[in-house]
Amino acid sequence: MDTQKKSKIFLNPLLKENPILVLILGLCPVLGVSETIDKAIGMGMAVILVLFCTNLVISLIRKLVPNEVRIPIYIVIIASFVTMVQMLMNAFTPELAESLGAFIPLITVNCIILGRAEAFASKNSVGDSILDALGNGFGFLIAVFLVAFFREFLATGGWKLSNPFTNSTIFEIRPLADFAIPLFGQNTGAFLTLGIIIGIVTAIRMSSEQRKTLKAKKEVQ
Amino acid sequence: MKFSMSPAPFLRRKRTTLAIMLELTIALALVWLASIIYYFTIGTNHGLQAILIGIVSTATMMVVEFLFYLPKCIKDGKEAVSKNSELNCFKETMNAMGYKLSHSFGWVSGLILALLLPVGTPLYVVLVSAVIAILVGKLLFGGFGYNIFNPAIVGRIFAQLCFGTSLAYGVEESASGFTAFTGATVTSQLSNNNWMTTGLDIDLWKLLLGNYQGTLGETFTLLILVIGVVLAIRKVIDWKVPVFYVGTLYLASLISGFCGGYGLGSFEYALIQISVGGIMFGAVFCLTDPVTNPTSPSGKVIFAVGAALFTFVIRYFASAPEGVAYSILLMNMLTPLIDRCIKGFTTKKLLPKWGVIGGIMLASMVLGVSSGFVNHEAYDVEYRKQNEFSSVIKKVEDNVYHIEVQQGEKGQIWSKVEMNVTLDLTNRTVTKIEIISYGANGGFGDALLTGGEIKFNTDGDEYTSFPKEKEPIAMAFYDKYIKLESPLAFDEYLNLYSKGNSLSAWSSEAKNVIRVGATYTAMGFIYGVCEVINYAGGAQ
Amino acid sequence: MSIISSRGYLHLKGIKESKHLTSDKEVLEISHEAIAKIYIPEVGPNAVPLTLNVKVGDEVKVGTVIGIRTDFNIPVYCSVSGKIIAEEMLFHAVAGRPVKHFVIENDFKDEKVKALEPLGEDASAEEIVEQIRKAGIVGLGGAGFPTYIKYRGVKDIDTVILNGVECEPFLTTDYKEMQEKRELLLKGATILGRISNAKEVIIAFKADKVDVMAKLNEIIADYPLVKIKTVKDAYPMGWERTLIKELTSREYDRLPSEAHVIVNNVQTTIEVARAVLYGEIMTHKVVTVSGDGVSKQSNVRVPIGTKVSSIVEFLGGYTDENVALLLGGPMTSKGQMNDGVVILPNCNGITILKHRAIKSLPCLRCGACVEHCPAGIQPVEIKIAVESKNVDRIASLNAMSCVECGLCSYICPSKIDVTEFVKKGKLQLRLQEQKKLAQQKAAEAKK
């Protein structure tokens, strides 16, 4: 029972309750960083790191925080970790930090982080909070990667993956560079792609739910 | 004995939506046919490209609709089979799909989109635009009857934003097939000229009949006008929308022309304004799409007049040639608002409604006035800056003068000429002209000034379209005015030159002689020689 | 200017052909088998119960009072002579459910009982109005509103319009009555004009009825108060509001008396003349039986209370297994569930059409319904408001002004039942009103 529950904490945010594609939280950074898969993976890693640290700390001090001032305390903690992460990125992955620009400090006000802190880490044990943080972080990463995958392909005709620490290209393939649609590299394309992906995911979810209710009905009969 | 319990009334008009859409399709096909014939007269490849664009656009939209509706039709087919097991599942699915496709009218948007794209559009651009047009513009909103934006216009704007440079209006044939060049269309000429027609040679009949470069469908103004009247009589489209739209634009352009100092020529000027840029096509086919229109009669008139206002603003003040498409999209966005605001009886409160309509028309007129004044002045100043010739003359030797000619502040490259002119003042003739350098590099002006062979790329490939007929004229010009096997009188040059700066201001003889495809080069050359003559005191 | 407002009417295609099915034929008299039994309902034509005057087993004659309507105090007469042999539950069209009917066995003797005394030329207006009430005359154009109420305490009327337009397809009874009873029509017109102190009485019918025009013009010189005006062939020209607007260019809010006009059907006028001048009550009705669902189409003169199924059998029966049975014209009548209904005074025709399945497409938003709505409302917007359950918007769109003429559904190219949506809208509005009233009452009760 326990392991099932724990695995659910980790697995749920990955697809079934993905914070971006299902709960539709924190879309602003998704729109901003999903131009290339490099930026997407970089941002995803940063979010996972911040989530992990903040959930850990908040869950550790959860019994000591008075209820009236909990939000400012959470924000201070999140801001501190984001600053640390930003300094680390500036030091070790300078090109990535520069291309992400203002979106790294914006992680502070990302709904996902504050939402998970408020809804989960402040009420559950440390182990569970860590699992939840990892689940949501990877869910964010999956969603952003999905959007960036299509956007980069449509905007430049291919993909480029590079090592953020050394800024060397791991691979770059651009099969359809002649037919690139630069609109998808801009904001319009971001909204379009994100909207279509959310639409497809919702359609799949609803049809699978319908199938489940039909099955349940048949079993009752 | 079964008695029907259907609701009243039990009589229905015979006209169906399908019939209306089919008539619209026939009208669009006529315009498409006209464009195919026109492009075949330019060249077979052009004509084929026109056919292909239409086919690719329509087919893509049908395929996308097919794929989009496939899951639902499969479900319907399975349901039908579960109710009556004798039926074939595949056949039932195909039946459901056939009904769905024939009542979703995707091919109409396909034809309209094809007619909105220029002939030089690469086919993959057509494909992608069609996919986005039907998917984002129609299917995602709920299919036919639920879309807010006109799908063809969405596709067109998408193509413009993403592939703007590939939308070529002319197609060049070379040995290796197609490459497109973006020559100047009438619309871009006008828009560069601040929408004033002075200084441009625009033939109204050419515009009306479609003998100019534009997108596939928008050039045939007269044909579209006739088709529009027929469609309005047969009640396929509502006559109020195109009449109010074109009428407001005509009136506003008229007022703009009056204020710009054209006098009685304003009528022709206004007619030119509504013949370019696809206004007629947009008015008859895109603006009248019933799904994206308001439903009440007064709403439709407000819609048309508002679209005219937007078109006017975008054209004159934003100088974007595609004003029609943007204004259609903007008004489509406002349609639900217009619908929401018109409540109560349609026969009451007529005065406020006419007030709103009149107000918007008045706003367009006011903008017309201001654009006339502003553009005229701005145009004058701009025109002078851009088009005035200037020169630097030095005396090299006795009777030999070195002149450098330049046009405009930034110096248009085509009219740059540097030459040595030798004069004989006593006989008043020019004895020798030596061209040192010129700006027209690799173009027709190159051949004109050097008497050389006409070649068009630096690779040496030849054009097979129009300049070939002008070759003898160019050679004759070179022989007479530049080669100078015998001295030529001053007056020969002075008679060609006049003090205006546009071709229309030059003498008619000059226009015939030098409008060979190297207009600015020839103008620069003649200006240069005449300036030398004046400088040397040879004019009388 | 009708550029931005609704045009208000539409010429229906094929309406002339539909009328020609019955307009050139003679009016048939119904056979004896069909009227062997007559059924008089024990409720009034608007389904309000009667104070009964007879019971099962009584002998009745033409002119016997069956009962008095409890709402308007007018009598309902028997149309044949015979004996009441039973009571039967038959479907009543207006009530929408089965009600008790007296079953009268017809002895075909047509023995009369004097119900009214004819009035002289110098009868006063009050006496004439009382005579109309005693004769039980109701509006024979289809609404069934008691005629005497329109003329009781009447003032400020300058025009009386007699509606012979008959804009519904297939119906030709007004036309036939105008052809045959022109003197009664003109006499009735003069009476109505006199009792309302009107300056003129206008008889209105469609411009293509030249023979009626000629016949009336022969003798109209003797009736100085009466004029004839023709109107164009459009639907719904026979509606009060459209007709008054067309003839006098006046508009009104709720009742025609606000525009100083009274409107009556031509058949009502004829009955008024018969009642006032000859003391005769209404016993028979000319009914147009038409449509492609019945073997023979014709006008039939039947006594009030004849079963519809007998009339159809008399004319050869149905042509198909699946038909739509309509009491009235095809535009406004709803389908009846069975043919056991009886002919009441305000039933002008029986239209039987073969059943056609209609598949509707999504709304094209063409606005054709808005452009032709005679009430000047926007059916398509009401449909959208009903679908989105926005009751406030339904109210702001004046859905209650709809008269259910059916023109919006007729003209829709996507074949949507737009009129049904407007009816639903009206129902939702009424429910909301009732809720509000109930809440108000509850709030007051608390106090």
Side-chain angles (χ1 to χ4, degrees), chain C residues 234-433:
Chain C
Y235 181 84
M237 195 51 84
W239 182 39
E240 271 183 346
R241 226 177 263 266
T242 318
L243 192 58
I244 293 176
K245 184 110 197 277
E246 179 79 9
L247 290 177
T248 63
S249 308
R250 293 185 209 157
E251 295 182 4
Y252 59 91
D253 208 7
R254 283 175 54 238
L255 291 175
S257 50
E258 295 168 25
H260 314 294
V261 177
I262 296 184
V263 180
N264 276 121
N265 184 277
V266 285
Q267 294 197 37
T268 316
T269 318
I270 294 172
E271 290 302 323
V272 162
R274 285 181 69 229
V276 169
L277 299 174
Y278 306 107
E280 288 176 13
I281 55 159
M282 185 177 174
T283 53
H284 284 72
K285 182 103 175 88
V286 174
V287 172
T288 311
V289 185
S290 190
D292 59 358
V294 66
S295 310
K296 270 195 298 189
Q297 294 87 20
S298 174
N299 278 300
V300 188
R301 193 164 167 271
V302 298
I304 295 176
T306 314
K307 239 196 200 174
V308 166
S309 51
S310 331
I311 305 179
V312 175
E313 221 180 287
F314 167 68
L315 285 174
Y318 301 102
T319 56
D320 205 68
E321 272 299 305
N322 212 349
V323 295
L325 177 66
L326 313 169
L327 291 182
M331 295 293 284
T332 51
S333 328
K334 53 180 192 207
Q336 295 298 322
M337 268 206 302
N338 63 38
D339 52 5
V341 284
V342 300
I343 299 288
L344 296 173
N346 57 334
C347 172
N348 269 342
I350 305 172
T351 312
I352 307 177
L353 296 169
K354 284 192 195 158
H355 178 73
R356 281 173 194 83
I358 298 175
K359 217 171 175 185
S360 57
L361 293 175
C363 173
L364 183 60
R365 295 169 51 86
C366 61
C369 48
V370 179
E371 255 184 85
H372 292 97
C373 177
I377 60 176
Q378 302 181 58
V380 64
E381 288 297 318
I382 298 178
K383 165 179 172 298
I384 295 174
V386 166
E387 280 172 345
S388 55
K389 300 195 176 51
N390 190 349
V391 186
D392 291 325
R393 179 144 169 88
I394 301 177
S396 77
L397 287 169
N398 295 338
M400 294 309 280
S401 306
C402 170
V403 278
E404 299 173 22
C405 66
L407 202 53
C408 43
S409 296
Y410 174 84
I411 207 173
C412 179
S414 294
K415 311 289 172 253
I416 302 176
D417 287 321
V418 192
T419 325
E420 281 305 297
F421 279 104
V422 183
K423 285 189 204 168
K424 273 190 213 162
K426 294 206 285 191
L427 188 65
Q428 283 182 2
L429 272 183
R430 272 190 226 120
L431 286 176
Q432 200 195 40
E433 285 289 321

Side-chain angles (χ1 to χ4, degrees), chain B residues 178-486:
Chain B
F178 269 130
T179 41
F181 71 84
T182 39
T185 65
V186 182
T187 327
S188 51
Q189 269 189 310
L190 271 179
S191 102
N192 284 335
N193 231 7
N194 265 337
W195 299 100
M196 290 278 155
T197 48
T198 43
L200 289 183
D201 251 327
I202 301 187
D203 187 357
L204 183 61
W205 277 111
K206 249 174 57 163
L207 281 185
L208 288 178
L209 288 175
N211 243 341
Y212 68 103
Q213 288 171 333
T215 72
L216 276 187
E218 71 181 15
T219 57
F220 305 99
T221 315
L222 267 185
L223 176 67
I224 295 177
L225 187 63
V226 169
I227 289 182
V229 169
V230 171
L231 285 178
I233 292 179
R234 291 203 46 90
K235 300 242 173 79
V236 173
I237 62 176
D238 193 350
W239 65 270
K240 296 190 270 285
V241 175
V243 165
F244 273 92
Y245 179 69
V246 174
T248 312
L249 273 178
Y250 185 81
L251 280 176
S253 305
L254 198 63
I255 292 185
S256 168
F258 279 136
C259 297
Y262 280 138
L264 276 181
S266 301
F267 289 97
E268 196 178 315
Y269 168 75
L271 209 55
I272 291 177
Q273 290 297 329
I274 63 170
S275 311
V276 297
I279 285 192
M280 269 300 175
F281 185 84
V284 171
F285 289 113
C286 303
L287 212 59
T288 56
D289 179 25
V291 182
T292 51
N293 262 349
T295 49
S296 51
S298 44
K300 288 195 174 131
V301 175
I302 295 179
F303 177 83
V305 175
L309 180 67
F310 276 124
T311 310
F312 197 82
V313 168
I314 295 180
R315 264 201 168 183
Y316 285 79
F317 298 102
S319 255
E322 277 303 315
V324 182
Y326 284 116
S327 66
I328 293 179
L329 278 187
L330 280 171
M331 285 315 286
N332 280 341
M333 215 162 58
L334 294 178
T335 297
L337 180 67
I338 296 177
D339 270 337
R340 193 69 55 89
C341 287
I342 296 187
K343 3 182 213 222
F345 293 108
T346 50
T347 45
K348 305 253 168 69
K349 286 214 189 137
L350 288 184
L351 212 54
K353 289 177 187 161
W354 275 116
V356 169
I357 295 170
I360 302 181
M361 283 179 89
L362 198 63
S364 330
M365 309 292 159
V366 167
L367 284 176
V369 167
S370 80
S371 99
F373 282 131
V374 164
N375 279 350
H376 195 70
E377 275 179 27
Y379 168 73
D380 278 343
V381 169
E382 192 67 32
Y383 188 70
R384 259 177 268 126
K385 277 200 301 191
Q386 286 285 336
N387 289 317
E388 262 180 347
F389 281 114
S390 59
S391 56
V392 176
I393 307 180
K394 276 189 308 207
K395 192 168 179 181
V396 174
E397 293 170 9
D398 237 4
N399 287 333
V400 179
Y401 299 90
H402 173 248
I403 180 169
E404 274 181 52
V405 177
Q406 172 163 294
Q407 188 181 22
E409 273 183 356
K410 303 179 194 149
Q412 294 202 44
I413 191 140
W414 307 103
S415 34
K416 268 177 87 131
V417 171
E418 192 187 342
M419 54 188 172
N420 280 343
V421 183
T422 315
L423 302 175
D424 182 350
L425 278 167
T426 36
N427 292 332
R428 294 191 73 237
T429 56
V430 176
T431 46
K432 181 170 168 207
I433 293 193
E434 183 189 338
I435 307 277
I436 302 174
S437 77
Y438 49 87
N441 181 25
F444 205 33
D446 184 331
L448 185 73
L449 290 177
T450 59
E453 235 188 43
I454 298 180
K455 49 184 200 290
F456 301 98
N457 311 352
T458 43
D459 300 313
D461 296 332
E462 256 191 57
Y463 273 141
T464 53
S465 47
F466 64 89
K468 196 90 173 185
E469 308 91 70
K470 307 281 177 72
E471 195 178 325
I473 306 177
M475 293 302 112
F477 182 90
Y478 173 76
D479 286 338
K480 179 170 180 186
Y481 294 100
I482 304 180
K483 195 162 163 193
L484 289 181
E485 291 187 344
S486 58

